[in-house]
Structure formats: C-alpha cells, structure tokens
Amino acid sequence: MVTVTDLAGPRPPIGGTAFVAVPGVASDYEPSIVRNARLQYLRGFAALAVLFYHCATYLELLRGSEVMNGVFPGGWGAYGVAVFFALSGYLMSDLLRRDDPGTFLVSRIARIYPTMFIIIALASVLFVLIGQPRGFNFWALTLVPSGPRPYFLGVEWTLLYEMTYYVGLTVLAFLGLARFAPVAMLAWLVILAGAFALGPGQAHPGAPTLSEFPLTVLNIPFVLGFLAGELHRRGALPRSLMPAAIILLLPVFVFELDAAMLRLVTGLSASLLVASAVTAPMTVPSGPLARFGLRLGDASYVLYLVHVPIIMTLSAVLPAATPPVLLWFVWAAASTAAAIALAPLDGAIHRRLKRHITGAPKRRLSIVALAFIGFFLAVAAAGEFRMRGEAADTARAARILSGPTSVAGPSVRMAIDAIATMPTGNLVVRGYGIDLDKPQLGSHVALRQAGQTLALVDLDRMRAATADALGRTDLRKVRFGFRLMLPKEFTCEGGALEPFLLLEDGRSLPIPLGALAAVCGK
C-alpha cells in the first residue's frame, strides 16, 4: 500500500484552494499532484470493491443469507485486489528509481507493518468484547510467504504478496541491477504467460510458499503496473485505455469464470484501468464528491484492514432478525466510517516514520534492510521446509488410508463428539483421536464416502478438557483434536460416512460414528 506522499511530497489539504476550480489554480501545483488524486480515487474504489464483496460473503458465512452474492460476486473482490496490485506495481517503478535500496525497503516496512499491528490490537479487543478471543500466529504476522497461516484479520495475504515484491526489488537494487528492473519484469511477464498457458501459472494461492510465489497468476497486475510506469515515464504508454479495461471486465459479470481465469481477466483489466488513470488529460478535482474520494483514498489501507473485524463484531451484537440487506449496508457503512476516523492516525504515524527514515544515515538504513531480507528469507525457508514435511505426512496418511484397517488396541481413544451446521450449510465435524501409549505419533483423520475421501486433515487442536476426562493431564497441551468441514455439495445419497484415525505407524483405525450417526440416519 502506498500513500500519495510517497510520490509527490505532501499533498495540499483536502479542503484547501488546491482543489477549488478557480482560474490559475492548476498552475500552482505540479501536474503529478492531480495524477495522484486519480490514484487516490482508484485506491478508494479498490477498497470499496473488496469491502462490498466481503460484506456479501460474510452475510452468507455468518447469517446464512445469499441475497447479496449475486449483486457483489467474487469478481468484485478479485478486481479490488488486482487494482491494488496494479497500483503498487506502477508506484514501485518510480520509487525504485528515486530511492536507494535501504530507504526503499525500510519505507515500505514502515508503511505496511505499524498500521497493521495497530488494527490487529484494536481488533483483538473487539473480539474479546464479543466473546470470540483469537490467538496470534507469529509466522502470519511476518507477512512472509511460508504457506497457509491463520491470518488474524483475514485479509493479510495480499500484504504478503506486497512485501515479497518489495523484498525482490530491493535485492535487485542492492545488486546494482535496479535499472534492469523493467527487463526483469518483462521476462517475468513472459514466464507468467507461459506458466498460465501450460497450467502451473493458474494457481492462485492466498498463502503461497516462496517457491510457489513466482508463477501464480496473481502476480500479473503488479508486473503490468510496473511496466505501465516504465512506459509512462518514456512517454510510450497509450492513452484512452479505459474502453479496453471495461471490455475486458465484462466477462467477469457475464460469464461464470473459473477462479484462475477470473484472476487473469481482472488482473489485465485492472492494469489497463491504472494505465488509463495516469494517461488521462489533466483535470482539477473539486466538489464534495472529489473530497470524499480523496478521503476514501487516504483511508483505503485502514478500510482494507479493519472491515472484517467490524463485520464480525456487528454480526455478533446485532439481532438475528436483522434483515440481511440492512445488515449488509450497516456493515459497509460502519467499516467505511471507522476507516475514515482512523485514517488520520495512520497518516500521522506514516509521516512521522518517513521523517525519521529521511533523516537516518543511508548506511544504517541499508543494514536494517539487509537484516530484514535475511529474516524474510529465513522465515520463507522454514515455511518451505514445514510445508514439504506436511505434504509428505499427508501423502503417507493417504497411503495408510488406502491400506487395510486395523483393530484399535486398549490404549487408543477416539471419538466424534460434535456436529455443527454452518450458516452456509456446510457440516463441521469435531472429535479427537490418540494412542495413550504413543501420544507423540503423528495423526490424521479422514472421512470417506463410497470409497471417496471427502476430507483428510491432521490433528491440530488441543483438547484440555478431554485430556482431563481421560485422566491424562500431561496431554492438555498435546494436539489430538480435529475439526473438519464437509464439502457443501455433500449429500447422504452417496452412501454411509466412514471416519478413520490414521496413525503414522501405519494403523488405519475406524472411528465410531458417535455424533456423526445422526447425519445420515445411520
């Protein structure tokens, strides 16, 4: 996320004469200020697109209502993210040339992390107040591509992409190759196109490992945004690209695109939209709508971070009988209001940090940047190692599941003790499984129907009360509980459900149906 001050110095006050349509005022400010206003509008639009989509999605997740899904389908969220990435790419093409490597990366760190930590702290208080406290995952807070993590705010995955872009560009600059960044981006674009055509590039993981990161289709808008910045600087960026952006976007709302094609189309359209904004004829923003657009642009980062906690908090405190459409509007309005209220704090923190960075010795900034790069790569390597290990464990569990079943010995304890139905209609199954004589054994749980595996998960939840009930208080912090979700399309017509406990020593143990017996009447 980049503020307007990153490009053209301090912006004139929103209510000041710089944005009043009077003769001669345009000559008082550099044209880049006006272009930055357009970018602010796009940032605000992108944040609203994500907000509207999430309000619709959480309306289904938390209240079971799909009434707004048709109005704000997944294309809205995908387009908002693509616009953010395209904007970031465009702005980084300028900042990479303007700043030395240390200043570049430390400025990006100062922009992303402090506000995120503040919003997480505020959100944690909200979650405690509504009786839904959450724990923190250190690795998720690093914003390093290290595989799936439980993100506290539910949206930090895009910041992981942003930080990886910044680190990659900084490494290029430290190697003295910043001037070759456009060539590198062009080569990356060719590789992305080939990877998408051949299949691997169609992946779009929200939380990739570092090895998965380079080929994902999600990178396309950032790369195109960066190249648009380079073309614009050379005066070679075509004008009047808005019609092309609109035409490319039409399939998103006319056809049912698969997830990979949705990301590709929205990425291409968003890149053209950003290019259109920076090449359009200069105009002077004026009027209340322009002022609101600028304020929304200033608040876009906070809005992106804060809206999910606001949605969840209001869902918990508002009556269940609240009409879904009204709830959608309340969520959207409250999130926007909270973001605009917190935006001055975000801006003040960023400006203060920028002053410190500007006055800091270049050598010190370089040391900090290099230390961060080392930390970033170490966490990424650890995540890579963890994900490869988990993939191997899952593959082994699948092989055990395909083999013969075993008889549970007297030391094995396992049960399915809870079934819940999500507002979306998905069934959630909870239970536990452990060999009391070998509690250190790695374990998975599988659920099959007519020979098909519906779910396969590891046991990753602590069950302190169950440990006490088993008379094994030493197991209170051992993860031997599980939670798995059945696919939404699951029906009992496919046959009986068969749960299994899979122990890494090769045993495949049928779990008594317990609470699961009521699901399909068996």
Side-chain angles (χ1 to χ4, degrees):
M1 301 292 177
V2 182
T3 62
V4 68
T5 55
D6 285 327
L7 284 181
R11 176 171 54 79
I14 286 174
T17 58
F19 296 98
V20 178
V22 295
V25 74
S27 63
D28 293 338
Y29 297 92
E30 292 294 329
S32 59
I33 297 291
V34 179
R35 284 200 297 273
N36 286 338
R38 288 202 185 91
L39 299 187
Q40 288 292 84
Y41 299 152
L42 286 184
R43 293 175 69 227
F45 163 75
L48 286 180
V50 174
L51 169 66
F52 293 165
Y53 164 66
H54 277 165
C55 285
T57 299
Y58 278 92
L59 199 59
E60 180 183 3
L61 289 174
L62 301 177
R63 295 299 180 99
S65 173
E66 300 179 9
V67 66
M68 298 300 287
N69 285 356
V71 183
F72 296 104
W76 282 78
Y79 200 64
V81 169
V83 170
F84 274 132
F85 284 171
L87 278 169
S88 182
Y90 173 78
L91 299 175
M92 291 309 110
S93 70
D94 180 77
L95 293 173
L96 186 65
R97 288 177 175 272
R98 191 191 74 181
D99 294 338
D100 63 272
T103 301
F104 175 81
L105 183 57
V106 174
S107 296
R108 307 280 65 75
I109 294 169
R111 184 67 193 103
I112 296 293
Y113 288 94
T115 297
M116 184 188 75
F117 290 146
I118 289 172
I119 299 300
I120 286 175
L122 294 175
S124 67
V125 174
L126 290 178
F127 290 144
V128 168
L129 291 177
I130 63 175
Q132 299 177 17
R134 292 187 177 190
F136 300 99
N137 183 285
F138 168 78
W139 305 107
L141 295 176
T142 65
L143 303 180
V144 174
S146 56
R149 304 287 185 181
Y151 290 107
F152 194 88
L153 302 175
V155 297
E156 296 96 317
W157 69 271
T158 62
L159 304 182
L160 174 153
Y161 276 81
E162 295 279 3
M163 288 308 306
T164 307
Y165 299 142
Y166 304 156
V167 168
L169 291 173
T170 304
V171 170
L172 205 63
F174 270 125
L175 294 175
L177 301 174
R179 64 184 182 280
F180 297 112
V183 177
M185 288 292 172
L186 187 58
W188 191 10
L189 182 62
V190 172
I191 293 171
L192 286 170
F196 188 89
L198 295 175
Q202 296 182 21
H204 47 92
T209 60
L210 191 57
S211 65
E212 294 171 330
F213 178 87
L215 296 183
T216 171
V217 67
L218 286 165
N219 294 316
I220 287 178
F222 180 87
V223 174
L224 288 175
F226 191 99
L227 291 173
E230 181 65 21
L231 290 173
H232 187 236
R233 188 163 34 253
R234 296 168 181 258
L237 189 62
R239 294 180 178 270
S240 304
L241 293 173
M242 180 65 76
I246 294 173
I247 291 171
L248 265 176
L249 190 59
L250 289 178
V252 173
F253 300 102
V254 175
F255 303 107
E256 189 109 4
L257 302 179
D258 63 45
M261 187 58 68
L262 176 67
R263 292 294 184 182
L264 175 64
V265 172
T266 53
L268 294 174
S269 176
S271 303
L272 291 174
L273 180 66
V274 171
S276 175
V278 299
T279 58
M282 295 295 100
T283 57
V284 179
S286 63
L289 187 60
R291 288 193 291 272
F292 175 76
L294 291 169
R295 288 192 184 278
L296 191 61
D298 287 336
S300 60
Y301 183 38
V302 177
L303 178 56
Y304 183 77
L305 294 175
V306 81
H307 71 274
V308 172
I310 294 290
I311 287 171
M312 297 187 69
T313 300
L314 291 177
S315 179
V317 301
L318 291 176
T322 305
V325 175
L326 175 61
L327 194 59
W328 184 95
F329 278 102
V330 169
W331 287 349
S335 298
T336 304
I340 290 176
L342 290 170
L345 174 63
D346 171 47
I349 292 171
H350 181 51
R351 287 190 296 273
R352 186 178 184 87
L353 290 174
K354 284 289 288 183
R355 285 196 296 270
H356 285 295
I357 293 169
T358 301
K362 302 300 182 185
R363 184 173 180 274
R364 183 181 304 169
L365 293 175
S366 294
I367 292 172
V368 172
L370 288 170
F372 182 84
I373 291 171
F375 167 78
F376 190 94
L377 294 176
V379 172
E384 195 83 38
F385 181 79
R386 177 184 71 91
M387 289 300 297
R388 291 180 185 274
E390 289 183 1
D393 290 344
T394 301
R396 181 172 60 244
R399 291 195 297 271
I400 294 171
L401 179 62
S402 65
T405 58
S406 305
V407 177
S411 62
V412 174
R413 300 290 187 273
M414 52 186 174
I416 293 175
D417 53 14
I419 302 290
T421 303
M422 299 282 287
T424 56
N426 295 82
L427 284 176
V428 177
V429 181
R430 292 182 174 87
Y432 63 90
I434 191 169
D435 185 333
L436 296 177
D437 288 346
K438 301 177 179 179
Q440 76 283 356
L441 282 177
S443 308
H444 286 72
V445 165
L447 196 58
R448 292 198 306 186
Q449 184 183 49
Q452 299 296 315
T453 302
L454 301 179
L456 176 60
V457 300
D458 62 341
L459 279 71
D460 61 352
R461 293 171 181 264
M462 290 182 282
R463 298 282 298 246
T466 303
D468 292 344
L470 294 173
R472 292 290 299 270
T473 56
D474 58 311
L475 301 179
R476 288 177 62 88
K477 294 187 177 180
V478 174
R479 298 181 184 276
F480 64 97
F482 65 85
R483 175 187 183 274
L484 60 84
M485 183 180 297
L486 289 173
K488 194 172 182 179
E489 60 272 15
F490 159 78
T491 67
C492 291
E493 295 176 1
L497 293 173
E498 301 174 298
F500 294 88
L501 174 65
L502 310 169
L503 300 174
E504 68 175 348
D505 61 4
R507 285 178 288 171
S508 175
L509 308 174
I511 303 176
L513 290 178
L516 194 60
V519 173
C520 292
K522 288 193 65 176

